[in-house]
Amino acid sequence: MSDALARTALAAYRLAGSLAYPMLGPYVGYRISRGKEDPTRRRERYGYASIERPDNGPLLWMHAASVGESAAVAPLVREIAAHGINVVMTTGTMTSAHFVHDNLADCAIHQYVPLDMKPTLARFLDHWRPDVAIVAESEIWPMTMLELGRRRIPQVLVNARLSDRSFKRWKSAPWLAEALLENLAHVVAQSDVDGERFRLLGARAVTVAGNLKADVGPPSSSEQALAELQWVLGHRPRWAALSTHLGEEALAGDVHRALAQRHPGLLTIIVPRHVDRGDEIEQALLDQGFNVARRSRGEQPDEATDILLGDTMGEMGLYLRLTDIAFLGKSITGQGGQNPLEAAMLGTAVLSGRYVQNFRDAYQRLLKNGGARIVRDGESLASHVDQLLREPERLADMAAAAAATVEEMRGALPRTLQALHPFLHPLKLSISLARRCRPAMPR
């Protein structure tokens, strides 16, 4: 009965994709108009390759949805490519495409991921003919998994996680989850909880390797920009609200207002998760009576500046290095939380709301070691920021504990490579044999 339900549901999904296929043009065009697609590379979303497949040796398809996932698997991509294996890496956002171009262009070919429909996937797979497919974190696309399974291309989920919401949704249709997950040759999970969830849903081979994000270095920063801002800010007390979502900027403003008299010269740094909300956030802060300097306009904060609005892409490393106290958003008014490891790597005391289920393991470790604190609301956030600004010894202890926690969590990369050995070894062997059997050049 469950098999029949799964076949019916997947057939309906396939039919819906076929019916929607003629609408791809308007859909992608709409995303282009919103700045969410690269108009010069829109055909890649239909599965049309913009570059030829390398004709020498095996090829691995690596997929990472966005910047965070791309950064997490970047060292893994380098390790794989170092053995002579060709890598085509797909992502779904323009920012992740820029990341791959800037950081992996010497070892991976970037393409935008094809939409999850049979015609687009058939074109993509016919062109690239991958020997193995590796997908990062929680990207589960039915048509992609089924088509890879039909072609007998091994597919592995790495740095895999399942949020509470996703697990609950899949548990409501276990027959469908099993029908999809049985296509996975291996799941390399972030934590014991994630591993157990994948097992319960029907994954047949599961390994727990830890979080690859702990093995990645901290985000980089322009030394010149950092030096300029540090000189301008001097010894002003400051804290940051990073990767904020709707409602959390207002909370940060309330915290600033509550603490400004107790800490003269206080500067609050607000960095929204979505920088295209910059105009909206700035106007709301101005309406609250704050003096705002906006990074996207190149405005430097002066003595009268209350809030530095960091509405720029690719500068999280800069903002983290400007503060020792960071509240991470999508955790009070949003759901899921944000990755705390980048802040912890730089020795930053981490504050967060309660809703951090997407990064539960990292927060549990930080909380246990004293490198992070959970706040309930704006009033609680103000109280913790106030204490850390008043007690530098306590702040230093939290920062040291955060950095030490990341060191404890390192090691996911070699464990992941070990789990991938059965899939990578045959590719390495084929390269070795090809080199050994290459005919000698005539003299």
Side-chain angles (χ1 to χ4, degrees):
M1 181 65 177
S2 59
D3 288 345
L5 282 172
R7 286 196 299 270
T8 301
L10 293 171
Y13 183 89
R14 186 182 296 111
L15 176 61
S18 299
L19 294 174
Y21 186 74
M23 297 301 296
L24 283 187
Y27 169 72
V28 175
Y30 170 75
R31 286 179 56 83
I32 288 172
S33 71
R34 298 289 301 274
K36 295 184 177 182
E37 296 280 355
D38 184 341
T40 65
R41 298 175 61 184
R42 65 187 298 169
R43 284 171 56 83
E44 292 175 24
R45 298 290 263 155
Y46 305 112
Y48 292 102
S50 59
I51 189 170
E52 289 301 313
R53 183 196 192 279
D55 57 8
N56 57 326
L59 181 139
L60 180 145
W61 174 18
M62 174 72 72
H63 174 65
S66 194
V67 174
E69 294 87 348
S70 299
V73 299
L76 181 60
V77 170
R78 288 205 166 276
E79 288 284 344
I80 293 169
H83 293 282
I85 300 170
N86 297 299
V87 178
V88 59
M89 183 166 178
T90 58
T91 65
T93 65
M94 292 176 66
T95 51
S96 54
H98 294 319
F99 174 89
V100 175
H101 177 269
D102 293 343
N103 295 275
L104 296 170
D106 60 326
C107 63
I109 300 166
H110 179 266
Q111 298 281 278
Y112 281 104
V113 66
L115 294 165
D116 194 46
M117 298 177 179
K118 188 173 177 62
T120 61
L121 286 163
R123 283 192 204 99
F124 180 88
L125 294 174
D126 286 346
H127 178 85
W128 293 106
R129 306 188 308 281
D131 297 279
V132 177
I134 298 178
V135 179
E137 298 207 6
S138 55
E139 287 285 286
I140 297 176
W141 292 102
M143 208 62 244
T144 302
M145 296 179 74
L146 293 174
E147 188 64 16
L148 287 169
R150 189 182 70 80
R151 296 180 183 225
R152 300 183 182 278
I153 299 170
Q155 46 190 313
V156 183
L157 202 59
V158 299
N159 215 37
R161 64 180 178 86
L162 271 177
S163 67
D164 294 348
R165 183 180 301 178
S166 294
F167 182 54
K168 183 178 180 181
R169 186 170 64 246
W170 285 114
K171 269 206 313 181
S172 67
W175 39 270
L176 181 58
E178 185 173 3
L180 289 173
L181 294 182
E182 69 179 5
N183 290 282
L184 293 175
H186 206 107
V187 174
V188 188
Q190 288 187 21
S191 70
D192 291 332
V193 171
D194 293 308
E196 184 60 22
R197 286 178 171 180
F198 277 104
R199 289 189 190 97
L200 289 171
L201 291 176
R204 295 174 178 176
V206 180
T207 299
V208 176
N211 193 336
L212 284 171
K213 291 177 180 177
D215 284 2
V216 179
S220 60
S221 171
S222 162
E223 292 186 9
Q224 180 179 347
L226 179 61
E228 288 176 357
L229 277 167
Q230 286 178 329
W231 184 82
V232 168
L233 296 177
H235 297 290
R236 289 181 64 176
R238 48 192 182 264
W239 73 287
L242 306 176
S243 296
T244 54
H245 283 242
L246 181 64
E248 289 169 336
E249 298 87 16
L251 285 177
D254 292 341
V255 171
H256 182 92
R257 192 180 304 281
L259 300 184
Q261 288 189 342
R262 300 182 213 172
H263 303 278
L266 178 68
L267 179 78
T268 294
I269 303 167
I270 297 178
V271 182
R273 178 68 178 85
H274 302 290
V275 298
D276 56 0
R277 296 179 54 233
D279 291 341
E280 163 199 336
I281 296 168
E282 179 188 31
Q283 189 57 55
L285 293 170
L286 292 173
D287 291 343
Q288 288 180 271
F290 295 120
N291 189 313
V292 180
R294 194 163 167 182
R295 177 72 179 161
S296 64
R297 289 201 291 256
E299 297 170 353
Q300 293 279 42
D302 57 28
E303 293 180 357
T305 300
D306 300 305
I307 293 172
L308 172 61
L309 179 56
D311 57 334
T312 54
M313 293 296 299
E315 290 197 305
M316 187 58 76
L318 170 67
Y319 302 123
L320 281 170
R321 287 173 173 83
L322 290 174
T323 182
D324 295 321
I325 306 169
F327 164 76
L328 302 182
K330 201 181 178 182
S331 60
I332 292 182
T333 62
Q335 289 274 345
Q338 297 289 352
N339 174 27
L341 296 180
E342 291 180 340
M345 285 175 195
L346 291 169
T348 303
V350 174
L351 303 175
S352 175
R354 292 172 288 176
Y355 306 113
V356 294
Q357 54 268 38
N358 290 352
F359 301 94
R360 180 185 288 106
D361 184 61
Y363 274 103
Q364 285 178 341
R365 291 168 182 259
L366 285 166
L367 290 166
K368 178 183 176 182
N369 292 343
R373 296 180 184 178
I374 297 296
V375 302
R376 298 183 306 277
D377 50 27
E379 184 178 345
S380 173
L381 176 59
S383 175
H384 283 284
V385 173
D386 181 34
Q387 182 189 50
L388 293 173
L389 288 173
R390 285 188 291 104
E391 302 181 27
E393 298 86 0
R394 193 182 294 267
L395 173 59
D397 288 344
M398 272 192 76
T405 300
V406 177
E407 288 303 315
E408 288 178 7
M409 293 177 66
R410 294 192 189 280
L413 179 58
R415 289 191 290 268
T416 299
L417 285 167
Q418 181 62 36
L420 291 174
H421 178 77
F423 310 98
L424 299 181
H425 181 68
L427 307 188
K428 298 175 189 177
L429 187 61
S430 69
I431 293 170
S432 176
L433 289 173
R435 288 172 178 167
R436 191 180 306 166
C437 299
R438 188 176 299 155
M441 294 295 291
R443 293 186 179 181

